Amino acid sequence: MIEASGLTKRYGNTLAVSDLSFSVAAGKVTGFLGPNGAGKSTTMRMTLGLDNPTAGDVRIGGKRYHELKDPLRTVGALLDAKWVHPNRSARAHLTWMARSNRIPKRRVDEVLELVGLTAVADKRAGGFSLGMSQRLGIAAALLGDPEVLLFDEPVNGLDPEGILWIRQFMHRLAGEGRTVFVSSHLLSEMALTATELVVIGKGQLISQSSTEEFVARASDNTVKVRSPQLPALHQQLVQASAQVADAGEALIVSGMDSAKIGEIAAAAGLVLHELSPQTGSLEQAFMQITGDSVEYHTGLAEQAPAR
Ligand SMILES: Nc1ncnc2c1ncn2[C@@H]1O[C@H](COP(=O)(O)OP(=O)(O)OP(=O)(O)O)[C@@H](O)[C@H]1O
């Protein structure tokens, strides 16, 4: 469990994080979503005691990072996958980390196995692909078998296979009852990865809710209907007070649910080829909720360049 309350960080004239309060529950993947520069990394650094808040605090299991007796056994983090010494092997890197944190050496082999790096454990980490480096970073985060895990933009720059692996691995960690908090500016990725969302813009909380609620709240839910008798169906729906828009070979109906549309079609003896509720995307939801209050427009690209 992570709890931020009134968390604030000022760098000179920049208010990077402003009076931010949210909580992250155990047993779920919680997405930390916001455009570039929204304050996600700063929040994560404060959570890990790498930066001090100007005001407020953030606690892990009720304690500030500095108060944790055995930090690595409580919280693991992947902030930057490329910080490993390039000439060190994955095993040597993890062994060094384990030793300096009084973690038994056998745990090194366990985490290498968990992330699928056993076969390359003795190769130079400097030669690793970004995907392999991310796995090594995750192995390091898991060394102390912590209850709480923080990942900052873990899928940035990864290929689809790497992205899928990370997503499934996070679900698995949450399934084991851990608290998994993962930041991203890739909205569609978060829709697939996270069941809860903490959304920020310009250092401030925009919303905290389930991913489903966030999308439902912001999007106009519509129903797509296809029929070989479109004009007749159109007329029936308008008569029943639905708003109907033509979309080529389909109608997009709002103000009426799919059950009602099906009943109207049946009553009029009209054939349907498709009747599908359209839920809005996370992108739409984000734009709608944040409006112009955040400079999100450049952050909407699906594939951001690797950092
Ligand atoms: N050490 C620092 N000194 C000065 N300003 C900083 C520092 N770290 C972050 N900032 C500023 O604070 C704001 C929030 O940055 P932060 O990196 O936390 O955002 P972010 O949401 O993680 O964005 P990104 O996805 O681009 O990393 C930005 O305006 C950034 O320029």
Side-chain angles (χ1 to χ4, degrees):
M1 167 92 164
I2 304 170
E3 260 184 316
S5 94
L7 192 65
T8 301
K9 180 71 190 181
R10 182 179 282 284
Y11 295 108
N13 287 332
T14 308
L15 195 54
V17 174
S18 171
D19 195 19
L20 190 58
S21 300
F22 62 84
S23 60
V24 183
K28 291 175 179 175
V29 178
T30 300
F32 191 27
L33 191 63
N36 291 119
K40 304 181 295 295
S41 301
T42 304
T43 301
M44 288 204 159
R45 283 202 309 275
M46 289 192 283
T47 310
L48 294 164
L50 298 170
D51 230 333
N52 289 320
T54 308
D57 66 20
V58 51
R59 291 165 187 261
I60 298 169
K63 291 190 171 139
R64 296 196 188 96
Y65 190 87
H66 299 295
E67 296 164 357
L68 295 174
K69 239 175 80 200
D70 227 341
L72 229 64
R73 291 178 198 266
T74 310
V75 53
L78 172 71
L79 295 188
D80 178 3
K82 283 288 182 189
W83 68 275
V84 180
H85 192 292
N87 286 328
R88 257 192 199 150
S89 70
R91 191 192 306 278
H93 172 67
L94 293 172
T95 304
W96 165 74
M97 272 191 80
R99 197 176 301 139
S100 43
N101 288 281
R102 291 174 288 115
I103 289 167
K105 197 169 169 290
R106 62 175 159 72
R107 182 67 185 155
V108 170
D109 288 325
E110 279 172 23
V111 294
L112 283 166
E113 186 69 33
L114 273 176
V115 302
L117 285 182
T118 304
V120 293
D122 296 311
K123 296 211 157 59
R124 278 180 63 244
F128 279 8
S129 67
L130 182 62
M132 286 159 79
S133 300
Q134 296 288 59
R135 288 183 190 223
L136 177 55
I138 292 173
L142 290 171
L143 260 185
D145 199 12
E147 283 297 308
V148 177
L149 286 152
L150 266 67
F151 300 107
D152 195 10
E153 303 269 5
V155 302
N156 242 10
L158 292 188
D159 59 16
E161 197 192 338
I163 292 174
L164 183 65
W165 185 86
I166 296 247
R167 188 188 303 150
Q168 289 173 340
F169 201 76
M170 294 198 172
H171 288 159
R172 173 178 164 179
L173 293 170
E176 292 167 358
R178 300 179 209 256
T179 305
V180 182
F181 192 38
V182 47
S183 83
S184 181
H185 62 279
L186 297 178
L187 306 166
S188 50
E189 177 53 31
M190 278 296 96
L192 296 170
T193 305
T195 49
E196 293 288 315
L197 283 182
V198 173
V199 185
I200 64 168
K202 287 190 174 165
Q204 294 177 326
L205 186 73
I206 290 171
S207 90
Q208 159 146 37
S209 67
S210 71
T211 307
E212 211 177 330
E213 273 167 37
F214 182 70
V215 174
R217 183 148 43 95
S219 50
D220 296 328
N221 290 332
T222 56
V223 181
K224 181 178 175 190
V225 194
R226 286 193 307 120
S227 161
Q229 296 150 292
L230 268 193
L233 182 62
H234 192 147
Q235 199 182 5
Q236 291 287 332
L237 292 171
V238 169
Q239 273 172 13
S241 304
Q243 287 97 53
V244 185
D246 274 310
E249 307 209 326
L251 300 175
I252 303 295
V253 183
S254 42
M256 189 176 279
D257 65 17
S258 51
K260 180 78 181 157
I261 297 168
E263 282 161 19
I264 289 172
L270 299 170
V271 172
L272 294 184
H273 285 175
E274 182 180 348
L275 183 62
S276 51
Q278 314 282 297
T279 46
S281 68
L282 200 53
E283 279 84 352
Q284 281 174 328
F286 197 94
M287 293 305 291
Q288 206 152 333
I289 287 180
T290 61
D292 289 330
S293 70
V294 287
E295 37 336 316
Y296 206 80
H297 310 288
T298 52
L300 262 180
E302 282 296 287
Q303 290 301 325
R307 289 192 303 180

